[in-house]
Amino acid sequence: MEPEALDPATARALLEWQAEMGVTDAIGEEAVDRYALEAAPPPAAKPTPVPGPEGDAKPAPAAPPASPVSPASRTAPALDLGLPADPVAEAEAAAGAAGDLAALRAAIEAFPHIRHREGARRIVFSGGTPGAPLMIVGEAPGRDEDVEGEPFVGVSGQLLDRMLGAIGRDRRDPGADRGVYLTNVQHYRPPGNATPEPEEVAMLAPFLRRHIALAAPRIVVAMGNTPLRALTGQAGITRRRGTWIEDGPVPVMPTFHPAYLLRRPEGKAGAWADLQAIRDRLAAG
Ligand code: URA
C-alpha cells in the first residue's frame, strides 16, 4: 500500500500495532521487494501461543521477514564465534560470582547470551524491598515495565498489588512486616511479549536462584509457568499451584499469574487460597 493512501488514524493504528508486536526500529527508507529475493528457507514452525495459565497474554510474534542478505552468505557455514558450548554453565559461573544484588544486576547486564536485550529500553531487575520476607517472581517485563524499569507496574501489576494488599503486603512499604520484593525470570522485555523458550528459561535460572539466595526471602511465590519452570524444571501451574515446593533452600508457592486471572477470573478462588496459605506461613514465623 502506498503511504499516501493511509489516512492518519490508520497509519497511527498500524504503527501502534507494530510497536505492540515488538518492532523497535525502522530499518530503511527504501522498500525491499522480498518476493524478488531468492526464497529464504522457511522459519522454524513455532506454535501460536494460546493464552493459558502460564502468564500474560502473548500475541504471537510476527514472523521474521526473509533475510535480504545474499544467497551465498545465507548458505555459508556457521562461523565459529567462540560461543560457549554451555551457556547454562556460563550463567552458573556468572551468577555464582555475584556477591550482592548490585553485582548480580551487573552480571546480568554483562551476560552476552541474553536474547532480545537490544529491543528493550532497559533492564528491569527488581522492585519493592530487597530483604523482604516475601519474594514474588513473575515471567518478564511488559511494555509498562520496560518504560518504568520496575516489575509489575502495568495492569497485571495493579491486580498483583490488590492481591498482596489482601494479605497485608505493600511493595511501597519498606518494613519487613509488610514489605515485598519482586523480580522476573527475564529481565528484558521480549519482543511481542513472547513466552520464553525452555532453553532460555534454563539459562536464566541460575540468575534467579542466585537472586533468591542474595535477597534471602522466607517465601518465594512463583507466578505462572515460567518461574515454576525456572525453579523446578517443569511447568504445569494449574496442577501444581497451591502446593508448597519444599525441596530448595526457600519454600516456593506456585500460583496463577495475575495476567491469567484478568483473563480467567474463575481462577481467583484458587489464587486466594494460595494467598491465604502464604499469609499464614509468613505469620507463623
Ligand atoms: N508480567 C510479569 O510476569 N512481570 C512483570 O513485571 C509484568 C508483567
Side-chain angles (χ1 to χ4, degrees):
M1 192 186 294
E2 293 292 326
E4 291 76 13
L6 292 179
D7 63 87
T10 306
R12 184 183 174 88
L14 279 171
L15 195 59
E16 287 175 351
W17 179 81
Q18 289 176 330
E20 183 59 30
M21 290 295 102
V23 174
T24 54
D25 299 290
I27 56 171
E29 293 291 329
E30 299 296 327
V32 176
D33 180 0
R34 299 184 190 283
Y35 293 101
L37 298 171
E38 182 181 303
K46 201 174 170 192
T48 303
V50 178
E54 63 276 9
D56 283 337
K58 306 291 180 191
S67 167
V69 297
S70 73
S73 59
R74 259 188 262 140
T75 54
L79 291 174
D80 177 6
L81 298 175
L83 296 180
D86 186 356
V88 177
E90 198 176 320
E92 294 278 5
D100 57 25
L101 292 172
L104 183 68
R105 177 187 173 122
I108 293 167
E109 287 175 313
F111 194 65
H113 312 301
I114 294 178
R115 296 163 60 211
H116 315 318
R117 181 188 274 121
E118 290 72 21
R121 285 182 176 82
R122 56 179 57 83
I123 188 172
V124 179
F125 181 67
S126 69
T129 306
L134 182 59
M135 181 168 176
I136 305 289
V137 183
E139 179 177 301
R143 185 173 53 185
D144 296 311
E145 291 77 21
D146 187 42
V147 169
E148 295 198 25
E150 183 174 338
F152 284 109
V153 293
V155 279
S156 59
Q158 288 156 20
L159 175 57
L160 175 62
D161 283 343
R162 292 198 295 278
M163 292 163 67
L164 292 172
I167 58 166
R169 296 275 147 184
D170 181 351
R171 77 167 86 186
R172 281 163 283 275
D173 190 325
D177 52 336
R178 287 179 54 79
V180 191
Y181 186 56
L182 306 100
T183 191
N184 286 304
V185 175
Q186 289 184 294
H187 298 93
Y188 295 89
R189 182 197 182 192
N193 296 338
T195 302
E197 301 293 338
E199 297 74 24
E200 194 172 5
V201 174
M203 185 186 74
L204 296 172
F207 292 109
L208 177 59
R209 286 195 295 270
R210 188 72 185 142
H211 204 155
I212 293 170
L214 292 169
R218 284 180 38 224
I219 287 176
V220 168
V221 181
M223 296 206 125
N225 265 331
T226 298
L228 177 63
R229 188 187 288 284
L231 293 172
T232 69
Q234 294 168 357
I237 193 71
T238 303
R239 188 170 39 84
R240 299 194 64 173
R241 62 137 282 275
T243 304
W244 291 102
I245 300 170
E246 307 270 8
D247 55 2
V250 179
V252 176
M253 172 57 81
T255 192
F256 290 133
H257 192 287
Y260 172 72
L261 297 174
L262 286 170
R263 297 193 305 276
R264 304 285 295 270
E266 65 272 22
K268 285 185 179 174
W272 174 231
D274 303 344
L275 285 171
Q276 288 175 298
I278 293 162
R279 179 196 60 196
D280 294 349
R281 187 148 182 175
L282 285 168

